[in-house]
């Protein structure tokens, strides 16, 4: 299967083949932009949690995650530091996978626990899908991970 960077090299598939160069040039930028925004926004979302990681003990225990004294700080670390790692493209796959798990729990929370259905969970679903993408594809060409000879 062709990588994301190679998909726009096939001029025969494009209605306007002249756009191939534009798409090829913008592909790494779009990839990096999405990774930096996703990671940065996840870190911003986790910032209040990292300031007081024990403040969410009741919430995580209310979802069935015991002991809360373990899970609440893990939530804060995953969102804040995981977001920074994703933004940098460092250990992108494991950080994105961990974040995706957190987001899937929020899907359950909004959809089932709060009874909000799809409309309440749609943002979490979108976030989980974005993080799934980076868990599968890694950090991309413009990431710290790309500087290493091997990746996870």
């Amino acid at each position: 299967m062709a990588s994301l960077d190679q998909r726009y090299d096939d001029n025969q598939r494009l209605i306007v083949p002249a756009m191939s160069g534009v798409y090829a040039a913008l592909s790494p930028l779009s990839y990096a932009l999405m990774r930096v925004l996703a990671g940065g926004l996840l870190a911003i979302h986790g910032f209040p949690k990292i300031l007081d990681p024990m403040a969410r003990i009741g919430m995580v225990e209310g979802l069935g995650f015991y002991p809360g004294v373990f899970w609440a700080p893990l939530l804060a670390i995953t969102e804040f530091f995981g977001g920074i790692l994703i933004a940098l493209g460092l250990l992108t796959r494991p950080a994105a996978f961990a974040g995706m798990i957190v987001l899937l729990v929020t899907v359950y929370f909004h959809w089932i626990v709060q009874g909000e259905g799809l409309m309440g969970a749609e943002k979490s679903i979108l976030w989980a899908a974005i993080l799934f993408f980076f868990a599968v594809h890694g950090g991309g060409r413009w990431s710290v991970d790309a500087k290493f000879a091997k990746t996870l």
Side-chain angles (χ1 to χ4, degrees):
M1 182 173 176
S3 73
L4 292 175
D5 295 333
Q6 296 168 340
R7 290 187 186 168
Y8 298 111
D9 292 338
D10 186 4
N11 289 349
Q12 297 175 38
R13 296 185 63 216
L14 295 174
I15 293 171
V16 182
M19 293 300 291
S20 175
V22 174
Y23 296 146
L26 292 178
S27 181
L29 175 64
S30 67
Y31 196 102
L33 178 65
M34 182 63 76
R35 181 180 43 76
V36 169
L37 284 174
L41 290 171
L42 186 62
I44 290 168
H45 185 77
F47 183 70
K49 292 178 182 82
I50 206 72
L51 292 177
D52 188 4
M54 299 303 178
R56 306 294 190 286
I57 290 174
M59 179 194 71
V60 297
E61 287 184 348
L63 290 170
F65 290 90
Y66 293 95
V69 71
F70 170 77
W71 290 107
L74 191 60
L75 170 65
I77 290 166
T78 301
E79 288 186 5
F80 183 69
F81 292 110
I84 290 171
L85 289 172
I86 293 166
L88 293 172
L90 176 62
L91 301 172
T92 307
R93 285 186 169 113
F97 182 79
M100 179 192 71
I101 297 300
V102 168
L103 270 298
L104 290 174
V105 171
T106 67
V107 169
Y108 169 77
F109 174 75
H110 288 289
W111 196 315
I112 305 298
V113 175
Q114 296 286 8
E116 298 171 353
L118 175 63
M119 297 313 292
E122 68 178 318
K123 194 180 339 178
S124 294
I125 293 168
L126 179 60
W127 272 101
I130 291 168
L131 293 181
F132 174 73
F133 176 87
F134 289 110
V136 171
H137 293 283
R141 181 187 302 176
W142 296 344
S143 67
V144 175
D145 288 339
K147 304 300 178 205
F148 298 118
K150 300 215 180 236
T151 186
L152 290 172

